Amino acid sequence: MSDKITAPKLRAMKQAGQQIVSITAYDSTFGSLADLAGADFILVGDSVANTMLGFESTVPVTLEQMIHHTRAVRAGVKRALLVADLPFGSYQASIEQAVTNAVLLMKAGAEAVKLEGSYPETISALTLAGIPTMGHLGMTPQSIHRFGGHKVQGRGSGADRILAAAEELDKAGAIGIVLELIPTDLAKRVTESVTAPTIGIGAGPHCSGQIQVLHDVLGLSPVGFRHAKPFMNGRSLILEALGEYSRQVRCGEFPTSEHSF
Ligand code: KIV
């Protein structure tokens, strides 16, 4: 792996037929590991709400929290493009609000931002301000209360709405469009209709790339999701290590002279 990934490179990767690999990270340790493993872009996702902060949805996450985590991930990432989520309530009220808040994420070290929903004018304005912006359509978690749960979107008449929204975001200059929990054939249609790369999560194999939540890939989440695949059993490995540490302290096996001065 070489060459710093930049926002324009994502579109070029789609044109070259190269699959884009992305994963979330919330701190410098895992940002650095994801970078070393070759992720093309790393998302400081507002899923930090569920994975790190113990919230039930992404709705409570604040801009200050996103800035804090963006700074931390920045410290660990060198090659990958660093994208940060604009959290719920930080961009919907006006274009001015979106630009002001996106600037704060960029000053914290992001190289692009992502926002959820159909906001083409906002994406145009952010792009004009020098802020590469990614869209996010389908099951957009910040709208969980409107959807009534994590439900697949874009079935039936909803498909044309998602396709039209994607075309608008594309024209507005989106550097990519995350497609979350939509049928495989719709994701394929969107991918073929836009020049921006589509990044799927629960959207099938025909997207220009895939994104996953770090904790799902590492098997740290207590529950499994159909759209995710654990690539290791992190939860039991960590529990085993922490249990062994406790056992050794309690029975005097640790520390030994090897760990003492
Ligand atoms: O915050 C997040 O984790 C996301 C997903 C699309 C990966 O936005």
Side-chain angles (χ1 to χ4, degrees), residues 42-59:
I42 293 174
L43 174 71
V44 186
D46 60 357
S47 52
V48 68
N50 318 89
T51 55
M52 306 295 287
L53 302 177
F55 297 137
E56 281 191 5
S57 80
T58 57
V59 171

Side-chain angles (χ1 to χ4, degrees), residues 24 26 43 45-47 85 114 136 178 180 201 211 213:
T24 63
Y26 315 101
L43 174 71
D46 60 357
S47 52
D85 265 339
K114 173 166 82 59
H136 185 162
V178 170
E180 180 161 356
I201 173 163
I211 185 163
V213 168

